[in-house]
Amino acid sequence: MDEQRDIGPKIEKSFELIGKRWTGLIIYVLMSGPKRFSEIHSMIPDLSKRMLTERMKELEDNDMVVRHVSAERPVRIEYLLTKKGTELGKILGPISQWAESWIKE
């Protein structure tokens, strides 16, 4: 990139959101389809329930995730990505491929 660009507020806000710990991983997990809270938590075991609750609320507030409550008994609550969240999730696939190649365990 030869030209210097001014980083606008939209770019700054997007990096702030996805740069928060666990956010990208939660979106990555939801790319495979709707999940219950407990399923997300079991797929990311180092993530505390408190922090998962906080991140899910942030993702909902930013229209990236929808909390769907079923009318059946017992009540079933699932989280799924919105179109906005899915579009972001699409760029996380190449990041995971990069990680497989370059990150050491």
Side-chain angles (χ1 to χ4, degrees):
M1 289 176 55
D2 291 341
E3 65 185 54
Q4 190 163 355
R5 293 186 179 181
D6 203 17
I7 297 175
K10 288 183 179 183
I11 294 171
E12 188 177 329
K13 184 175 180 175
S14 67
F15 275 88
E16 181 182 320
L17 177 65
I18 62 173
K20 287 186 175 183
R21 187 162 189 198
W22 307 114
T23 300
L25 201 51
I26 292 167
I27 292 170
Y28 183 78
V29 163
L30 289 173
M31 283 297 289
S32 62
K35 303 272 184 298
R36 297 177 77 170
F37 185 92
S38 60
E39 292 175 304
I40 299 167
H41 185 257
S42 69
M43 293 175 83
I44 313 171
D46 290 339
L47 172 58
S48 72
K49 290 181 179 181
R50 186 186 125 271
M51 184 57 68
L52 178 55
T53 300
E54 187 178 311
R55 291 294 181 258
M56 294 306 289
K57 181 69 176 137
E58 289 172 352
L59 289 168
E60 284 181 78
D61 291 346
N62 284 283
D63 301 319
M64 310 272 286
V65 170
V66 171
R67 182 177 185 261
H68 179 261
V69 181
S70 70
E72 62 191 53
R73 294 277 187 236
V75 173
R76 183 178 175 93
I77 299 170
E78 290 186 321
Y79 295 90
L80 58 142
L81 293 175
T82 62
K83 182 176 180 182
K84 183 178 178 181
T86 301
E87 289 297 313
L88 176 58
K90 288 178 184 178
I91 64 170
L92 298 178
I95 293 172
S96 67
Q97 291 170 352
W98 174 85
E100 288 293 329
S101 298
W102 294 99
I103 301 296
K104 295 180 181 168
E105 291 184 38

